[in-house]
Amino acid sequence: MNRTLFFTVAAATMALSCSPSSRTDVTARDPHSFARPDEVVVTHLHLDVAVDFDRHQIAGTATLTLNNKTGARKVHLDTRDLEIASVTLVPESTVAVWKLGEPVPLLGRELTIEIGTSTKQVAIKYATSPSAAALQWLEPAQTAGKKKPFLFTQSQAILARTWVPCQDGPGVRMTYSARVTVPPDLLALMSASNPTELSKDGVYAFRMDQPIPSYLLALAVGDIAFRPIGKHSGVYAEPTVVDKAAWELADTERMIDAAEALYGPYRWDRYDIIVLPPSFPFGGMENPRLTFATPTILAGDRSLVSLVAHELAHSWSGNLVTNATWNDFWLNEGFTTYFENRIMESISGRPYSEMLAQLSLQDLRSTVAELGDTSAITRLKLDMAGRDPDEGVSDIAYNKGALFLRHLEESVGREAWDQFLRGWFDSNAFTSATTEEFVTYLQKRLIKGDVAFEQKLEIDAWIYKPGLPASLPVIASEEFAKVDAEVEKWKKGEKPEVLVVKGWTTHHWLHFLKALPQGLSVDQMVELDKAFRFTTSGNSEILTVWLQRAIQSSYRKADASLEKFLTSQGRRKFLKLLYAELVKSPEGLARAKAIYAKARPTYHSVSSSTIDGILGWEK
Ligand code: BES
Ligand code: ZN
C-alpha cells in the first residue's frame, strides 16, 4: 500500500467505479474531508471553549498541534457552519492568513491556513452556529428533570466539523485536551477523563491521551449524576434516571471481563456510560471512555443490554482499529456486531446469542430483499464519494459484516480465528485500516497460500459483490424453533392464553411478532393484545415491532400509544420504521404529518433529516 500516492476525489471515484471489485486500491484521499493529512497532520487538539445555553453556541479556541511532513505552507481543515474569528500561529504568535472555501453540501467549508515552516500550532478562535448539526440543545422540558437544559454532541460520521475545526476523517488520529466552561449548576463530560461531581466554577478539564479520530470527539452538559457499577465502570444520567440506569446496566463489568478474555486488554482506562435524554438519535454511540446511550434501553428487565456489549466492543473494533474511510464502515460495525455477539454468548450463553444472530440474519435477508440483490449498496466495501456517509448505515455493514466474520470463524475453527482476530487488533492498535489492508492481513495470517481454502472462503464475493454469498452461515436458533411452534398453534386456532410462553425473553417475543402472518385482522390484533399487552409494552424494541403491525392492520386501539412513542423519544431506528410504515397509506401519511409537525422540533437533526426524506417534508 502506497500511502503517499493519491488522486483527486474525482479521479479516485472514477478509479473505484471502473473496477469495483479490484482489491488493489491505493489509499485515495478521504472523499469526505478537505484535509490533506499526507502533508500536514494534526496530532493534538486543545479546546478552550465556553458553552452558552442562551445563544445555543459553543465558542472559544481550538489549538491544533501540527506535524508538517512535507514542509507544506498550508494546512487544510474541515469546518461546517463555523464562524472563524481569527487564527494565530504558534510559536510565531503572528496572526495567520486564512480563508474559508465555498460551502459544499454535506462537507461544509474548507479552512485553509497559511503556515510557516517552523509553525508548530494553529490557534483558531471560533464559534458554532445555533443550527450546528452535531449539537442538540434541549430545553428543560425535553429532559427527565424538566428544570435544566441539556446539550449533547453527535460527531459520527462527519459532524465533528460543525463544532470543532479539525481534520474530520477517520484516517487521522489525535490526542486531545480540553477546558470547558459551562453554567455552574451543570456537569460537563467528554470522551475523555471525566469528573463525577460538579466543579465549583463550572470549569472542567479533560484529557484523552490515546489518539482518536475526530468522529469520537464528544461532549455532554446537563444536570447529570454518577453511580459506580464496578471498579472500572459507572453510569451517568439525570438524577431521576440514574438509579434505574445503574440497575439496568449492572452487567457492564462482566462484559468488560468477557471482552478482554476474547480479544485482549481494554486500553482506554475507564468504561462509563451516559444515558441521555430521549431525543438521542441513536441506540448508542461508542465515544471512548464514555458510551452515549438512549434511555430506550432501560426496559426494566436488563433485556436490551446487548447494546452495551456493542458499544463496548467498539473499544476494539472502531476506536482501537478504525475504518480508514466511511467506505470501510463494515470494518467498524461488522466487526463490532460479531464481537457483540461473542460477548453476549460469554455472559448469557449460546442459546441466547444464537437468537441475536438469527434476528441479524433475518434483518439482513429482508434488507437485501428490499434493496435488491444486485444493488451496489449491498456490498460490504462501499463507494460513498459524493454521498452522505449516513446512507451507508444499514444492515449490510452490521449484519453482512458480522456474518462474514462468523463464516470465517466457522471455516477455520474458533481457536485459530480468535487468535487471528486478536492479532488484528493488536497489530493495528491506534491506527486506521482499509478493507484492502484487512484482506492482505487475512491472506498472510489465515490463508497462508492455501488456494483451495481461499476459494472456499469466497472473500471477493463477500466484500466486493452485492447480495448474499452462497457461503452465508446457516443459523438455526432452537429457542426460535420453540417460538415458531407456538405461532403454528395460534395459526391453527389455539387461543393465545394456551401458548407456552413462560420464560420468554425480549428476543423470543420479537421473533414471535415477526413470525406472525402478514396482514392480521383487527380481531386477531385485539386477541393478541389482550393476552400479551403489547400496546402498553415498556420495551421499546417490542413496542416498535407491534406498532408496525398495528399500522399495517389499522388497529386503531394502538393509535395513542403510537403517537406517544413518536413524540416522547427520538431514536432514529424506531422513528424510521414507524414513519415508513405510516406513509404506505394516504390516511397514514396524513397522520404521520400531523404527528411530525409537533414532534420534529424535539428530534435531533440526524433523525429529522431522515424523517424529512421519508415524509417529503418541506423545511
Ligand atoms: N457507531 C454507531 C452509531 C452511528 C453509526 C452513528 C453511523 C453515526 C453514524 C453505534 O455503535 C451503533 O451501531 N449504534 C446502534 C446500536 C447497535 C446495538 C446496533 C444504534 O444506534 O442503533
Ligand atoms: Zn456500532
Side-chain angles (χ1 to χ4, degrees):
M1 185 82 42
N2 186 345
R3 281 185 179 276
T4 57
L5 215 141
F6 48 84
F7 303 125
T8 62
V9 172
T13 316
M14 254 172 59
L16 283 175
S17 52
C18 290
S19 55
S21 64
S22 146
R23 285 202 208 154
T24 48
D25 175 43
V26 264
T27 308
R29 195 171 278 166
D30 184 330
H32 297 106
S33 173
F34 293 113
R36 301 185 193 177
D38 41 285
E39 298 172 9
V40 183
V41 67
V42 173
T43 58
H44 183 81
L45 157 73
H46 179 71
L47 267 185
D48 186 351
V49 293
V51 175
D52 185 334
F53 278 92
D54 295 329
R55 301 170 68 177
H56 287 185
Q57 187 177 66
I58 295 178
T61 305
T63 304
L64 307 180
T65 303
L66 311 177
N67 170 12
N68 192 339
K69 297 176 182 170
T70 58
R73 302 303 298 266
K74 283 177 185 159
V75 58
H76 304 266
L77 303 173
D78 294 296
T79 76
R80 190 178 136 193
D81 297 330
L82 293 183
E83 194 184 295
I84 307 295
S86 64
V87 183
T88 310
L89 302 184
V90 182
E92 297 92 324
S93 39
T94 49
V95 172
V97 175
W98 56 272
K99 86 164 195 275
L100 275 178
E102 286 303 310
V104 176
L106 294 170
L107 304 188
R109 302 176 74 176
E110 176 176 19
L111 172 61
T112 308
I113 303 170
E114 295 187 15
I115 54 173
T117 45
S118 51
T119 302
K120 294 279 177 285
Q121 295 177 321
V122 289
I124 305 164
K125 211 175 148 218
Y126 77 101
T128 62
S129 142
S131 61
L135 307 180
Q136 193 176 16
W137 301 90
L138 300 180
E139 296 302 324
Q142 289 171 274
T143 67
K146 314 273 179 222
K147 293 203 179 88
K148 295 180 182 173
F150 204 104
L151 165 70
F152 64 82
T153 64
Q154 169 56 43
S155 298
Q156 195 181 9
I158 53 171
L159 304 178
R161 66 191 68 178
T162 71
W163 69 286
V164 182
C166 62
Q167 291 186 319
D168 197 14
V172 177
R173 309 181 88 82
M174 63 195 174
T175 51
Y176 82 87
S177 49
R179 182 179 181 274
V180 179
T181 306
V182 303
D185 58 339
L186 302 182
L187 186 72
L189 302 170
M190 292 192 82
S191 48
S193 57
N194 274 312
T196 55
E197 280 171 19
L198 285 183
S199 72
K200 280 195 234 45
D201 50 4
V203 179
Y204 295 89
F206 302 92
R207 289 176 68 91
M208 169 45 79
D209 292 330
Q210 290 97 329
I212 57 157
S214 57
Y215 77 87
L216 297 176
L217 288 171
L219 170 69
V221 182
D223 184 11
I224 299 167
F226 176 75
R227 294 284 182 275
I229 295 178
K231 245 170 94 183
H232 318 95
S233 61
V235 173
Y236 292 91
E238 287 190 70
T240 57
V241 177
V242 73
D243 288 314
K244 184 173 193 214
W247 183 86
E248 197 90 27
L249 306 177
D251 277 338
T252 303
E253 201 83 22
R254 283 176 62 213
M255 289 184 183
I256 302 172
D257 292 343
E260 288 191 312
L262 283 166
Y263 299 122
Y266 178 75
R267 304 196 198 214
W268 305 87
D269 191 16
R270 291 189 56 83
Y271 179 75
D272 296 315
I273 301 162
I274 178 169
V275 176
L276 291 161
S279 67
F280 183 59
F282 294 104
M285 176 63 212
E286 66 272 26
N287 296 316
R289 288 197 208 183
L290 183 65
T291 283
F292 281 23
T294 166
T296 63
I297 57 167
L298 306 180
D301 60 1
R302 296 184 181 158
S303 63
L304 300 178
V305 294
S306 62
L307 183 129
V308 173
H310 179 98
E311 304 312 334
L312 172 66
H314 273 305
S315 308
W316 287 258
S317 42
N319 300 3
L320 191 61
V321 182
T322 308
N323 52 203
T325 72
W326 298 117
N327 292 333
D328 306 298
F329 186 53
W330 78 278
L331 290 182
N332 275 17
E333 298 301 342
F335 278 56
T336 296
T337 303
Y338 173 82
F339 193 172
E340 166 197 344
N341 217 275
R342 293 293 305 275
I343 294 172
M344 293 314 291
E345 181 181 326
S346 292
I347 71 160
S348 302
R350 179 90 173 169
Y352 184 87
S353 62
E354 284 300 88
M355 290 195 282
L356 296 182
Q358 190 159 339
L359 283 169
S360 291
L361 179 61
Q362 287 167 354
D363 287 348
L364 176 63
R365 285 191 188 283
S366 45
T367 299
V368 170
E370 216 172 275
L371 298 170
D373 63 5
T374 56
S375 142
I377 198 92
T378 64
R379 294 180 187 148
L380 283 180
K381 173 86 187 191
L382 295 169
D383 179 8
M384 300 308 293
R387 292 160 69 188
D388 189 342
D390 237 35
E391 288 173 38
V393 182
S394 77
D395 281 322
I396 302 302
Y398 287 78
N399 295 335
K400 186 177 177 182
L403 285 161
F404 175 40
L405 298 198
R406 179 175 171 133
H407 157 64
L408 295 175
E409 178 207 310
E410 288 174 351
S411 304
V412 298
R414 187 168 264 198
E415 205 179 316
W417 167 253
D418 280 351
Q419 210 180 352
F420 164 84
L421 192 51
R422 175 158 183 180
W424 166 254
F425 292 135
D426 285 341
S427 55
N428 295 290
F430 299 108
T431 67
S432 299
T434 61
T435 299
E436 291 64 33
E437 284 165 331
F438 175 67
V439 172
T440 303
Y441 190 84
L442 199 58
Q443 269 153 347
K444 218 166 95 195
R445 297 295 169 89
L446 209 65
I447 297 169
K448 299 176 190 157
D450 184 338
V451 179
F453 180 53
E454 179 165 14
Q455 272 176 357
K456 195 179 128 201
L457 293 184
E458 290 198 301
I459 293 168
D460 199 61
W462 273 97
I463 295 180
Y464 298 103
K465 298 269 160 49
L468 297 175
S471 53
L472 189 70
V474 178
I475 300 172
S477 153
E478 287 172 23
E479 291 303 305
F480 283 176
K482 293 183 204 161
V483 174
D484 289 334
E486 298 308 308
V487 171
E488 283 313 308
K489 283 191 340 205
W490 182 73
K491 285 203 299 203
K492 292 208 182 90
E494 299 263 20
K495 289 284 142 217
E497 287 74 12
V498 306
L499 302 184
V500 184
V501 301
K502 195 158 176 278
W504 277 14
T505 66
T506 296
H507 298 93
H508 293 88
W509 286 113
L510 288 173
H511 183 72
F512 178 78
L513 288 172
K514 290 179 185 183
L516 292 170
Q518 288 306 305
L520 296 181
S521 69
V522 171
D523 287 347
Q524 288 173 311
M525 294 293 285
V526 170
E527 181 184 278
L528 290 168
D529 208 7
K530 226 173 117 198
F532 304 127
R533 302 180 184 283
F534 293 122
T535 298
T536 51
S537 173
N539 184 304
S540 54
E541 299 278 351
I542 292 175
L543 185 62
T544 300
V545 181
W546 175 251
L547 291 174
Q548 270 179 286
R549 288 205 165 262
I551 300 165
Q552 286 161 3
S553 300
S554 302
Y555 175 55
R556 307 307 306 239
K557 279 206 178 124
D559 281 7
S561 170
L562 173 64
E563 176 155 352
K564 181 161 171 249
F565 192 57
L566 291 174
T567 51
S568 61
Q569 57 79 38
R571 184 171 173 187
R572 178 169 70 174
K573 173 177 122 172
F574 296 147
L575 301 181
K576 198 170 151 182
L577 288 166
L578 293 171
Y579 281 110
E581 197 63 57
L582 279 170
V583 302
K584 288 181 184 166
S585 76
E587 175 271 327
L589 176 65
R591 266 177 79 208
K593 284 188 168 164
I595 296 173
Y596 192 52
K598 279 190 273 177
R600 190 176 184 277
T602 69
Y603 295 158
H604 189 283
S605 70
V606 158
S607 292
S608 57
S609 55
T610 300
I611 308 306
D612 284 352
I614 293 174
L615 297 190
W617 193 261
E618 300 288 340
K619 277 165 254 179

